[in-house]
Amino acid sequence: MADNATDACDVKSMDDIMALCKRRGFIYQASEIYGGVNGFWDYGPLGSQLKKNLRDAWWNDVVMLGCGGKPGPDGKPVRIVPVDTCIIQNPKVWEASGHVGGFNDPMVDCRETKSRYRADHLKCLGEKGDTEGQIYAYIENDDASYASARKKLDRYKKRALSDAEIDTCALTELGNAELAITVGPDAKEVGTLTPPRAFNLMFKTVLGATGDAEIDKAYLRPETAQGIFINFKNVVDTTRVGVPFGIAQTGKAFRNEVTPRNFTFRSREFEQMEIEFFCHPDEAKAWYEFWRDWRMAWWESMGLKGENLILREHDRDELAHYAKEGAGTSDIEYRFPFTAPGYGELEGIADRTNFDLKQHQEHSKKKMEYHDTTRGELLPNGQPKGEWYLPHVIEPSAGLDRGVLAVLCEAFTPDPERPSGVVMKLHPRLSPIKAGVFPLVKKDGMPEVAEKLRAELHQRFGRLGAIEFDEKQSIGKRYARMDEAGCPFCFTIDGDTMTDQTVTVRDRDTLSQERMGLDKVGDFLAEKLGV
RNA sequence: GCGGGUGUAGCUCAGUGGUAGAGCGUCACGUUGCCAACGUGAAUGUCGCCGGUUCAAGUCCGGUCACCCGCUCCA
């Protein structure tokens, strides 16, 4: 598959993938019967099981096995504990995290140049005392922008005005009538600037049935991370964990994206799989590199391989405000059909330093420092004195819905040779349908034997995914359906089964058909599913 | 948020102001002996939604919603 990855990518059409997702019940548009709602998607029977399987794989590998059992940079097992925190928290959480203050800025759009400006970054100038003539907006502390505005004013007045004749004010002080005679910083026409509009990406809600919209204002969380940070002390105090350790959480988060687009890639409601890994500041770099590399390997183990998956280290000037002082930030990115030849982010691994714990310590007035009893100078009795510090945090934060989408895109394989025309080569561990059990024809006792096998496999593997039983229509049609659903193996009961107790195993990816004993099917499937 | 495009059956799409269509899929019955076989039959639509023009609107006009593409945004 790796050899023709580029070719396959070229052939893949997002429209075809979306059509298959709808047709086979992976993903539907939310509220479809009411015309849909922008930025929201529902998962169908196959999609929800696929999503659960990917989440379970993450949960199992990260939390239960602690990075799949791989020792950390300290040579010890990686310790991760889970939490499940609320979508709605005290609004002060989002003030501390910076989500309320920093991202509540009114913005101004220019209809002519399509530029967007922060309203509080724009100033205006005009001739002193002139209330009729044009006003020129410019970007504060930008000499070129200011000079441009002055030049436009001079040209409008047909003379060079002195500094003393100029009046300036903030754009936010202008009324609508004045905006109508204002020229944007990079515009030629007047009145192309929109009134300042707030672009807070957080969903607001109101607490209490009779709640006052202002006083009882609350937010749906824009990320799951803060729920972990605010419970850091609780977990340390009530669980026998010690730094270094991680706290994991999966759950929904909500962002009022300006432009939801690209199928489920940028949704307004989405699910995250996040780890906040707490470590000593001196060890942050080693843990950062450990997590970055292990997370990359994990996505590869989910079937995302070759040129479509890359690890990209952020440039210094690209780093988020909280990561400036840290060891760095990396994105694990997948080349989606709609981003190709570029890539879209699946997971970010960031060294957030102690930014979040420090913020919550300041805002909540609660001590967030950790007492590390394994550090500090040795006391006369031979015990370490201990050291108080704010742990640094390495955050591998993955998008579950984006992961599902990447897995679907990777699996989607056009194949004109097949009757279905397409096969979903999902990793067996992720496949929503684990196996198909088919009687070759609906007679001669075959359905009965097939049903017995289905019941046996269902008992053993039903917790992982569906076991499909189908006795209708031709065997080829049933195989084709399984190709589109991404079912990796089909077991077919035929005439020979009745005499020698063997079945045909049909492999989705190779189309090979081999015979095996009826009693070997369970173990065969267990091995393929890695259970 | 701006500009362009699209919206008709589950999917892909035809449809010239005058009776709502095709292929595939789905379902039933028969047949069928390993890759969407075949036969017969069936179901599936307020033509995205709202309004307007008209004797008559899927078709023309306006608005709106959703999706796609390009900007913009994306802590």
Side-chain angles (χ1 to χ4, degrees), chain A residues 27-49:
Chain A
I27 297 171
Y28 312 124
Q29 187 179 21
S31 303
E32 190 184 80
I33 62 169
Y34 289 104
V37 51
N38 198 355
F40 296 86
W41 301 90
D42 291 336
Y43 287 84
L46 291 187
S48 55
Q49 183 68 48

Side-chain angles (χ1 to χ4, degrees), chain A residues 12-22 337 408-409 412:
Chain A
K12 289 181 190 180
S13 136
M14 205 57 216
D15 287 346
D16 290 345
I17 293 171
M18 290 172 70
L20 182 139
C21 283
K22 172 74 190 292
L408 283 168
C409 290
F412 185 89

Side-chain angles (χ1 to χ4, degrees), chain A residues 76-123:
Chain A
K76 295 175 183 165
V78 179
R79 182 83 192 272
I80 311 278
V81 295
V83 296
D84 187 349
T85 70
C86 282
I87 286 172
I88 292 175
Q89 300 283 355
N90 189 310
K92 287 174 183 166
V93 169
W94 311 115
E95 291 169 19
S97 68
H99 288 88
V100 173
F103 306 99
N104 211 3
D105 307 307
M107 305 293 280
V108 169
D109 285 315
C110 176
R111 296 189 195 91
E112 178 188 332
T113 64
K114 315 301 180 200
S115 302
R116 172 170 293 166
Y117 311 93
R118 272 181 62 169
D120 59 343
H121 284 180
L122 290 185
K123 298 201 74 175

